[in-house]
Amino acid sequence: MSDDKHKNEGIDAGLIRSLADILNETDLTEIEVERGELRIRVAREITMTAAAPVHYAAAPVAHAAPAAAASASMPSDPAAMVSRKGEEVKSPMVGTVYLQASPEAPAFIKPGDKVKKGQTLLIVEAMKTMNPIQAPRDGVVSEILVGDAQPVEFGEALVMLEA
């Protein structure tokens, strides 16, 4: 995309580069800046085996969101791409996932459970706030992709839900 196109859409490529530089210089995984109607979020995935790529997405630009969503949903393990069926329920935030309400309580769900739309699947704690993650639709839990007390990133797949 040319710089003229960025200027016409109100996107400051220099700002995006500066935000990416801040990510590279710090331990942050994402930065979001809002100016009027324009919201820019720069995030990177942290992997144990390779350098973390930086992803750019400008919220008001419709064509930018699908590219970011596609890269976030692609599993790195080719076997996982073949074996997973259904819809991924993704984390809406960075935090710590909990599979039950308290350490002594039973898990909210287990593979094979039938769930109803709105039913709590698990909890993501962010900034000392417990956020219930609900089923987006009726279905069957085919796989739980995270462990209890595991840190999760924004957009990370948590549960596989089949029709």
Side-chain angles (χ1 to χ4, degrees), residues 64-105:
S71 65
S73 67
M74 288 298 292
S76 58
D77 179 13
M81 292 190 321
V82 174
S83 64
R84 289 188 180 154
K85 293 181 181 176
E87 174 184 352
E88 291 180 340
V89 178
K90 297 180 181 185
S91 179
M93 64 196 71
V94 173
T96 303
V97 70
Y98 294 102
L99 303 179
Q100 64 267 357
S102 65
E104 61 279 346

Side-chain angles (χ1 to χ4, degrees), residues 49-74:
T49 57
V54 178
H55 299 281
Y56 304 96
V61 182
H63 63 275
S71 65
S73 67
M74 288 298 292

Side-chain angles (χ1 to χ4, degrees), residues 42-58:
V42 179
R44 66 178 171 172
E45 293 179 13
I46 303 299
T47 61
M48 301 304 272
T49 57
V54 178
H55 299 281
Y56 304 96

Side-chain angles (χ1 to χ4, degrees), residues 6-160:
H6 286 295
K7 289 177 186 173
N8 292 339
E9 294 177 9
I11 296 175
D12 181 353
L15 173 63
I16 294 173
R17 284 188 191 95
S18 296
L19 294 173
D21 289 342
I22 292 170
L23 284 181
N24 289 331
E25 295 168 4
T26 65
D27 288 335
L28 296 174
T29 56
E30 68 180 67
I31 298 174
E32 189 170 315
V33 176
E34 204 168 319
R35 289 186 182 166
E37 294 288 318
L38 177 66
R39 188 176 86 202
I40 298 173
R41 180 178 159 273
V42 179
R44 66 178 171 172
E45 293 179 13
I46 303 299
T47 61
M48 301 304 272
T49 57
V54 178
H55 299 281
Y56 304 96
V61 182
H63 63 275
S71 65
S73 67
M74 288 298 292
S76 58
D77 179 13
M81 292 190 321
V82 174
S83 64
R84 289 188 180 154
K85 293 181 181 176
E87 174 184 352
E88 291 180 340
V89 178
K90 297 180 181 185
S91 179
M93 64 196 71
V94 173
T96 303
V97 70
Y98 294 102
L99 303 179
Q100 64 267 357
S102 65
E104 61 279 346
F108 289 109
I109 56 168
K110 60 186 182 305
D113 283 355
K114 290 181 180 179
V115 295
K116 296 283 185 190
K117 180 179 180 177
Q119 179 179 337
T120 298
L121 302 175
L122 42 79
I123 293 173
V124 175
E125 176 194 4
M127 297 174 52
K128 306 285 184 202
T129 302
M130 299 298 178
N131 302 282
I133 306 304
Q134 299 175 341
R137 60 175 174 78
D138 292 358
V140 176
V141 176
S142 63
E143 191 176 358
I144 299 172
L145 305 171
V146 292
D148 192 47
Q150 175 182 326
V152 294
E153 293 291 326
F154 170 82
E156 183 174 339
L158 304 172
V159 175
M160 293 301 293

